[in-house]
Amino acid sequence: MNTRSLSFRLVAWYAGVLLSVFVLLGALTFLFLRHYLEANLLDTQARRARQIADTLVAHASRADEGALRSQIESLYSPEVNDRFIRITRADGAAVYASGPPQNGRFDPTQVPAPRGDAAGQSRKVRLADGATLMLATRAAGGADGTGYRVEVGTSADSVDNTLAQVLVMLAVGLPVAVAVAVSGGFVLVRRALEPVERITRKAEEITQHNLSERLPVVQSGDELERLSVSLNHMINRLEDAIHGSKQFVADASHELRTPLTVMRGELESLAQDAQLRRETRETLGSVLEEVERLAKIVESLFALSRLDAGEAHAEWLRFDLAELAATTAEQMSLLAEDKQVRVDCESTPGVTVEGDPARLKQVIVNLLDNAIKYTPRGGRVRLSVRRESGYAVLDVADDGIGIPAEALPHVFKRFYRVDTSRSREQGGAGLGLAIVESICTAHGAIVEVASAPGRGSRFRVRQPLAGEAAAHA
Ligand code: ADP
């Protein structure tokens, strides 16, 4: 569980507050109940003491204390009723003291002698053996004016038992209530944050290739709805900006093609003039070379902008990639022969794919062109096409100069060249592999590279076989 997540922090805070409130309420309830029960029991003892004082002791006299004793015994039976009753004369002489209660909860002999100032008081007395007594003391005068002190008490066990039960209930009920509230809160928070999860997933999926997609908008009228609407507006603006810059490249490359073609034609016819001086002819030749390079770059940019605009789908057919690879390799072998590089093609026919054959041919041409370009004389380039678990796999491998590991993640980027000066010498502007990747993406294919400097490179294109594209998607 992520302890920094919003849901965890919300639930932890909620659980903490709930637990503190419950503990505080539980403690207050417990203290109030204890006070109430003890006061109630003491009150009962006080009422009984007053009753004995008013009804029995008030009519007693020193000469007839025996009658008082038997009246108390017969009316109150303290032992049977688990009560403590003691009558003491004001001079301290004991008149009556009840025996041990039937329930044995306290030992009456342990109850301390009444203090002079205790009359009229009700208190909780802890005996030496640990028992607790709720004791009320009353002063009374006999019929002959003799002063007496009446003490009535009972064990505090009933209160303690009730309190213990309440404590058990709180100890069990409190954590259960907190656990139920926290799990409910967790479910609610997860549900409330679910739209955030969906927005995040969708935002992660959106790239420059699917900028027309939008984040889900939760019609909740809250901050979340505002956030998703604002983010969608931001994606609108991004889409417009990216579309604008793509359109600019498309328009610029399109506009440049015609003047470049005219320039090339003019320069070629100029170069054919037999009266030209040798230096002028050489200068013209190198200008022509540069114009051709420029024309290639403009063609590549134009091709990329058309791919960006999704035009690759216009000419889709079903065709055999192996056959296309074999004819392309044959056409390119002339170029390879010039460089004394051998091109071997191993492909078994019947690798049917769906796509634009001209574009996929461009992929093979670009990869073979690079392989031949970056392989020294006497080297070997291997092209193969095969079927592999629902995919057409096209490999172009060479034993040329290879690509350093740090450059591998960048080779498909536009205008990226590993060795700028050498690449330029060989006519590359760093757009060949970018075009390969764009065509592959448009065909639902993936292009990967593996390479080791000095040992060679292998470019692999994996494209779903015809009829398998939907399954792979
Ligand atoms: P370029 O037109 O410059 O060749 P690419 O986009 O085709 O541009 O390739 C980008 C860079 O990747 C090249 O500049 C080159 O350094 C490197 N590269 C491409 N293919 C190979 C290969 N087969 N062997 C070695 N390096 C390669």
Side-chain angles (χ1 to χ4, degrees):
M1 176 173 287
N2 179 7
T3 53
R4 293 172 67 91
S5 73
L6 194 59
S7 50
F8 180 86
R9 282 187 289 164
L10 269 175
V11 172
W13 164 252
Y14 174 63
V17 170
L18 208 66
L19 194 67
S20 320
V21 169
F22 277 7
V23 166
L24 196 73
L25 275 181
L28 285 177
T29 309
F30 179 81
L31 291 176
F32 173 77
L33 193 69
R34 189 173 70 179
H35 175 78
Y36 173 78
L37 290 176
E38 285 181 356
N40 211 17
L41 201 58
L42 281 174
D43 201 42
T44 313
Q45 307 316 308
R47 257 186 285 124
R48 197 154 289 137
R50 201 177 316 121
Q51 199 181 32
I52 293 174
D54 293 350
T55 57
L56 301 180
V57 177
H59 301 114
S61 62
R62 195 164 176 154
D64 200 14
E65 285 172 347
L68 176 64
R69 277 194 288 273
S70 53
Q71 273 178 327
I72 291 173
E73 280 290 347
S74 65
L75 285 174
Y76 293 98
S77 316
E79 291 87 0
V80 179
N81 293 319
D82 304 321
R83 268 192 214 119
F84 170 79
I85 298 180
R86 185 161 66 187
I87 317 264
T88 322
R89 238 181 272 136
D91 58 15
V95 177
Y96 172 78
S98 59
Q102 244 178 23
N103 64 9
R105 290 282 156 79
F106 59 88
D107 177 2
T109 59
Q110 302 263 322
V111 183
R115 294 197 307 270
D117 57 355
Q121 265 189 17
S122 300
R123 65 193 201 282
K124 191 174 177 178
V125 180
R126 188 165 286 277
L127 306 184
D129 60 3
T132 315
L133 213 62
M134 308 304 274
L135 194 67
T137 310
R138 283 281 171 279
D144 59 353
T146 314
Y148 292 98
R149 198 159 279 134
V150 180
E151 291 170 279
V152 176
T154 188
S155 162
D157 272 10
S158 60
V159 172
D160 290 346
N161 287 344
T162 309
L163 289 176
Q165 277 171 14
V166 169
L167 213 59
V168 169
M169 268 161 57
L170 287 176
V172 175
L174 238 149
V176 170
V178 171
V180 168
V182 166
S183 20
F186 193 70
V187 171
L188 278 180
V189 170
R190 285 303 280 266
R191 204 169 287 171
L193 291 178
E194 169 68 15
V196 178
E197 197 60 35
R198 271 188 284 136
I199 292 173
T200 312
R201 275 200 300 271
K202 189 70 200 171
E204 278 167 357
E205 279 168 27
I206 295 182
T207 65
Q208 57 155 326
H209 301 296
N210 59 350
L211 258 187
S212 56
E213 291 184 24
R214 291 293 174 268
L215 303 176
V217 176
V218 196
Q219 309 282 350
S220 50
D222 59 7
E223 294 84 351
L224 221 54
E225 182 178 343
R226 265 181 49 214
L227 178 72
S228 37
V229 168
S230 309
L231 285 175
N232 278 340
H233 286 159
M234 188 185 75
I235 299 173
N236 279 346
R237 292 193 294 275
L238 273 178
E239 191 184 12
D240 287 347
I242 289 182
H243 181 259
S245 70
K246 280 182 179 170
Q247 195 56 48
F248 173 76
V249 176
D251 293 346
S253 51
H254 185 257
E255 291 303 320
L256 284 170
R257 288 166 87 205
T258 323
L260 275 170
T261 317
V262 175
M263 271 167 84
R264 196 158 54 181
E266 302 272 341
L267 283 170
E268 273 166 1
S269 65
L270 256 182
Q272 275 159 17
D273 188 344
Q275 288 168 5
L276 280 182
R277 283 196 294 136
R278 212 182 98 242
E279 300 88 69
T280 317
R281 193 187 303 278
E282 273 172 14
T283 313
L284 261 181
S286 86
V287 171
L288 193 59
E289 239 174 54
E290 288 304 311
V291 168
E292 265 164 10
R293 248 173 59 76
L294 193 59
K296 254 195 214 166
I297 294 174
V298 168
E299 275 310 320
S300 301
L301 281 176
F302 187 63
L304 274 172
S305 63
R306 284 183 58 197
L307 283 164
D308 286 345
E311 282 179 29
H313 288 258
E315 323 271 332
W316 273 34
L317 299 172
R318 267 178 183 235
F319 64 93
D320 189 346
L321 187 66
E323 228 170 76
L324 182 73
T327 48
T328 313
E330 209 174 301
Q331 288 158 7
M332 300 279 295
S333 56
L334 267 182
L335 173 74
E337 269 167 29
D338 282 352
K339 258 205 83 181
Q340 291 170 17
V341 172
R342 209 173 93 204
V343 177
D344 293 334
C345 177
E346 302 158 18
S347 49
T348 32
V351 186
T352 314
V353 293
E354 237 167 278
D356 179 343
R359 298 256 186 227
L360 286 168
K361 181 175 176 138
Q362 184 73 56
V363 168
I364 304 171
V365 167
N366 286 11
L367 293 179
L368 277 179
D369 185 49
N370 277 348
I372 296 166
K373 232 170 22 184
Y374 300 110
T375 301
R377 283 178 195 287
R380 186 172 163 225
V381 173
R382 287 175 312 279
L383 169 68
S384 71
V385 179
R386 62 181 193 282
R387 302 165 68 102
E388 193 181 280
S389 42
Y391 283 93
V393 179
L394 179 139
D395 274 348
V396 177
D398 62 63
D399 50 11
I401 59 171
I403 303 168
E406 65 276 11
L408 280 177
H410 310 291
V411 289
F412 295 103
K413 288 182 184 160
R414 296 175 185 191
F415 292 109
Y416 180 82
R417 287 165 296 175
V418 176
D419 181 342
T420 326
S421 56
R422 188 186 50 215
S423 200
R424 191 184 150 81
E425 236 168 61
Q426 288 165 323
L431 289 172
L433 289 180
I435 291 177
V436 166
E437 194 183 40
S438 282
I439 297 175
C440 287
T441 307
H443 283 79
I446 291 169
V447 55
E448 304 159 328
V449 55
S451 185
R455 308 242 314 263
S457 315
R458 192 207 61 212
F459 285 84
R460 172 167 291 174
V461 175
R462 281 164 60 83
Q463 182 181 352
L465 288 167
E468 304 262 351
H472 291 298

